[in-house]
Amino acid sequence: EEQLVESGGGLVQPGGSLKLSCTASGFTFSGSALHWVRQASGKGLEWVGRVRSKAYDYATAYAASVKGRFTISRDDSTDTAYLQMNSLKSEDTAVYYCTRYRSGSDKFDAFDIWGQGTMVTVSS
Amino acid sequence: EIVMTQSPATLSVSPGEGVTLSCRASQRISNNLAWYQQNPGQAPRLLIYGASARATSVPARFSGSGSETEFSLTISSLQSEDSAVYYCQQYSDWPLTFGGGTKVQIK
């Protein structure tokens, strides 16, 4: 079964840092781009960023709202992607999902596999 | 940034009735459009990709249509389990963007 599992969420103070993990199973992780999408309580979905595969030099892209504060990376040896979040703000409070393209590759496509999400709360 | 606008925000429909949800893109996106269903406390589920192709295991009562800037998702005969929020998403250009969602309620 193709699966993504997030971990690492929790409560953090404004200005603090947190690192989320997303572990894949059941598909060829190394060939897939991996994305992060977040959802504040009662709100819609917001794309956060993505990391491409080795074939594309692990290139990253970010939403304007997190650029310069968040960093996405990956470790293909453990089929895990990471979202390092620094300088956190209250507006970063959300459920964070990792997801991949339907094609399982690195080309524009819909998202077919989603993790269950991990909650991040930024509050003093 | 491509802005995705969904309408209406909320729909209330009787079981067995048909319903059509709309999604408009602020720029032409060809058929690079997906629809997702989300139940409370759950991750989104892919329903439609390429504007009109059903994802694996999606019932035939769900259908998508449209291209460039105007898209729609139709549920031909609403079932109780279809009560959810539906999102459209464009994957034509960066940043990837989602619509605000349409909540479908069962009368």
Side-chain angles (χ1 to χ4, degrees), chain A residues 39 47 97 102 108 111 115, chain B residues 36 38 42-43 49 87 91 96:
Chain A
Q39 185 172 38
W47 177 79
Y97 297 100
R102 184 189 60 87
F108 273 135
F111 297 134
Chain B
Y36 301 89
Q38 188 178 35
Q42 296 185 17
Y49 63 93
Y87 294 96
Y91 50 92
L96 306 181

Side-chain angles (χ1 to χ4, degrees), chain A residues 35 37 39 43-47 50 61-64 97 101-102 108-112 114-117, chain B residues 34 36 38 41-46 48-50 55 87 89 91-100:
Chain A
H35 296 250
V37 174
Q39 185 172 38
K43 303 297 184 182
L45 300 164
E46 179 188 17
W47 177 79
R50 68 97 168 101
Y62 301 93
Y97 297 100
Y101 287 136
R102 184 189 60 87
F108 273 135
D109 205 341
F111 297 134
D112 68 338
W114 295 70
Q116 83 287 356
Chain B
Y36 301 89
Q38 188 178 35
Q42 296 185 17
R45 171 197 179 196
L46 177 64
I48 300 289
Y49 63 93
Y87 294 96
Q89 179 230 340
Y91 50 92
S92 178
D93 198 5
W94 301 108
L96 306 181
T97 48
F98 294 86

Side-chain angles (χ1 to χ4, degrees), chain B residues 56-71:
Chain B
T56 303
S57 303
V58 173
R61 65 180 181 274
F62 291 92
S63 62
S65 63
S67 66
E68 302 299 358
T69 62
E70 299 287 340
F71 301 89

